[in-house]
Amino acid sequence: MPEPPFFEFRHVYKSFGAREVLRDVSFEVGRGEAVCILGRSGVGKSVTLKLAMGFLRADAGQVITDGIDVGTLRESALTEMHKKVTMVFQSGALFDSLTVAENIAFPLQERAPASDDEIDAEVEHWLDLLELKPVRDLYPASLSTGMKRAVAIARALAAHPQAILYDEPTTMVDPMMSHMIVELIAKVKRQVRLTSVVVTHDTQLARKLADRLVLLHEGGVRFFGTLAEMDASTDPALREFLQHDSLALP
Ligand SMILES: Nc1ncnc2c1ncn2[C@@H]1O[C@H](COP(=O)(O)OP(=O)(O)OP(=O)(O)O)[C@@H](O)[C@H]1O
Ligand SMILES: [Mg+2]
C-alpha cells in the first residue's frame, strides 16, 4: 500500500464573517515532498498554512496532518503536533536577546537531555548548512531581513520537525538575498528529508523547489499537479497568473 500523505486537505471551507476565503479546497502533500502554494495576494495562502498548523479551524471539511484530523485536537495535542510540524514566519520571530547561535540552540535545549557538547555540535551543523557561521555571535537586530530568515529556518530545523511550512520566504528581501534564500531552502530540501510546504507568489522559487504545485484562485484549487503539468496546462486563469508573475520579475 502506498504511504499516506503527510498533509491532506479534504473539501476544506473557511470563511471570516461574510467573506468566504476557501471553498472546497482539496490537495495533499506526500511525506518528503515539497509542495508550493501559489496565488494572488489575499487568496488564502497564509490561511491554508494556519489551518495545517491548527492555528485556525476549518468550517467544514478536514485538515489531516500525519494521519490526525487537526480540527479535533485540543491545545495539548496541538503542542505535541507542533514538535512534528513547524512554521517559519515571515518576521522570523527570533529572540532578540539571544545571539544567532543561541537562537538555534534554543529548541535543542528544550528537547531531550543532551550534553553541551552535543548541542554545540548540532548548532555548528545548522550554522554550516544555512551558511551562518560568520554571524554566529551577532544579535538578530544587526542582521538583514534575509539573514534573519536563514536563522529562523535553522532554528526551525534544530527542533527536528518532520515537516516545515514557509510563508513567503522571499518577499521583502532584495533579489540577491531572495536568490540566496531559495538556494538555502533547496539545500535543506536535498539534505534533510523533510516534508515542505512553501507559500509564495514567486514562481522562480516554485520552479526551483516544488515537486507539485497548488494554485489557489477565487477561493478554490484551480490547479494541483507537477511543474510539467502546469507548463502544459492551457487553463486561462493559470496562464494569466504565470504571465503576470513573469512580467513582475526584475
Ligand atoms: N484572522 C482573520 N480574521 C479575518 N479575516 C482574515 C483572517 N485571516 C485572514 N483573513 C482574510 O482572509 C483572506 C485571505 O488571507 P490570507 O492571509 O490567507 O491571504 P494570502 O493569500 O496569504 O495573501 P498575501 O499574499 O497578501 O499574504 C484575506 O481577505 C484576509 O483579510
Ligand atoms: Mg499571506
Side-chain angles (χ1 to χ4, degrees), residues 65-231:
T65 296
D66 198 18
I68 298 164
D69 183 343
V70 176
T72 65
L73 295 182
R74 289 166 189 270
E75 206 57 44
S76 59
L78 264 187
T79 308
E80 271 310 298
M81 190 194 93
H82 291 158
K83 293 181 184 160
K84 286 193 291 196
V85 184
T86 181
M87 182 160 161
V88 181
F89 293 94
Q90 263 193 15
S91 59
L94 299 172
F95 301 114
D96 289 326
S97 60
L98 301 181
T99 65
V100 165
E102 288 164 351
N103 263 282
I104 298 169
F106 192 82
L108 295 168
Q109 286 150 352
E110 297 266 282
R111 264 205 354 255
S115 70
D116 286 353
D117 283 351
E118 284 168 329
I119 291 178
D120 287 348
E122 202 181 323
V123 168
E124 282 311 303
H125 168 72
W126 297 119
L127 285 170
D128 193 33
L129 185 71
L130 276 302
E131 295 162 24
L132 289 166
K133 284 197 169 175
V135 299
R136 55 172 303 136
D137 297 318
L138 299 183
Y139 289 90
S142 63
L143 301 179
S144 69
T145 309
M147 285 295 229
K148 281 186 205 156
R149 253 175 232 171
V151 179
I153 294 169
R155 194 182 59 179
L157 292 172
H160 289 205
Q162 294 176 27
I164 185 163
L165 312 180
Y166 301 92
D167 195 354
E168 302 277 9
T170 59
T171 48
M172 314 266 288
V173 298
D174 64 49
M176 272 264 287
M177 195 43 106
S178 164
H179 181 75
M180 193 196 95
I181 291 173
V182 175
E183 293 299 323
L184 289 179
I185 294 177
K187 188 157 134 190
V188 165
K189 183 190 153 186
R190 283 195 308 272
Q191 299 198 3
V192 188
R193 188 181 179 253
L194 213 57
T195 305
S196 337
V197 184
V198 186
V199 156
T200 183
H201 46 241
D202 179 344
T203 48
Q204 271 189 325
L205 169 77
R207 282 182 181 281
K208 178 108 198 181
L209 288 179
D211 297 309
R212 286 189 288 181
L213 307 100
V214 176
L215 176 68
L216 292 179
H217 180 73
E218 294 176 356
V221 175
R222 185 74 189 212
F223 172 83
F224 176 48
T226 63
L227 206 51
E229 287 163 351
M230 184 176 87
D231 286 337

